[in-house]
Amino acid sequence: GGASPAGGTGAGSAVSNACELLTAADIQTVVGHAVASTSPVENQPDQPGCAWSWDSGIGSNDVTLTVVSPGGRADFDSTRQFDLKFAGGLSSLGSAAASEAAPLSSDLAQNLGDVFKVGDVAGLGDAAFMGPGTTIYAVKGDTEIQLQILDVIDDGIPAKTIQLAKIVLGHL
């Protein structure tokens, strides 16, 4: 598929309620848990977010979403560059080709890079990467989404996060 140019038009009007971008049913289908509560959150002004929570018996787990729009493209690019420098390189995820940022040579940087892997993810919006904490950052036009699943006993988090990000981007 063709990618939009970096300076492309916005993905529509600014999002005011991030909780409308995923349903409890979407989350239950992908993550496998019934959502117990849905709460709007706003970490920064004009960056609406939402948290969907459930109890796993071990503790509280959740899906969190933050939307940056307008200004999402600039935030995406800035966050990606920061995470790449912090991680010391780019590791390929899925079929995405590692295209830039040669890894640092020191053992310490390599160890940090293993903990804070950053990799491009193909097929999400105009561009996407998975950053530290298996957070997906994806951009469509000038709207960025940041999506994370916190579930201490689930080892399928990366794939499930990508599935949910596809649903969110489909609503933009």
Side-chain angles (χ1 to χ4, degrees):
S4 300
T9 58
S13 60
V15 172
S16 59
N17 184 352
C19 294
E20 293 176 348
L21 298 174
L22 276 177
T23 67
D26 291 333
I27 292 168
Q28 184 167 359
T29 298
V30 173
V31 181
H33 297 283
V35 173
S37 68
T38 302
S39 310
V41 292
E42 189 170 73
N43 297 323
Q44 296 186 40
D46 301 321
Q47 292 188 7
C50 193
W52 296 265
S53 304
W54 63 91
D55 189 349
S56 68
I58 295 180
S60 185
N61 299 304
D62 63 19
V63 171
T64 56
L65 170 67
T66 300
V67 179
V68 181
S69 181
R73 183 70 210 204
D75 191 73
F76 174 87
D77 291 340
S78 169
T79 302
R80 186 174 179 277
Q81 285 307 316
F82 175 83
D83 285 355
L84 281 172
K85 288 176 183 165
F86 190 78
L90 181 69
S91 60
S92 179
L93 283 182
S95 62
S99 59
E100 54 187 87
L104 300 174
S105 58
S106 78
D107 287 342
L108 176 61
Q110 184 60 49
N111 291 340
L112 275 176
D114 288 344
V115 173
F116 295 99
K117 281 198 184 301
V118 176
D120 284 332
V121 178
L124 282 181
D126 298 335
F129 72 93
M130 185 167 284
T134 61
T135 300
I136 285 283
Y137 298 84
V139 66
K140 183 176 178 181
D142 196 34
T143 299
E144 176 193 32
I145 66 164
Q146 303 166 8
L147 184 70
Q148 183 180 39
I149 300 173
L150 179 64
D151 187 335
V152 294
I153 57 172
D154 190 333
D155 60 0
I157 296 296
K160 291 177 180 180
T161 307
I162 290 168
Q163 280 183 273
L164 288 176
K166 285 180 181 176
I167 294 169
V168 172
L169 291 167
H171 291 293
L172 295 179

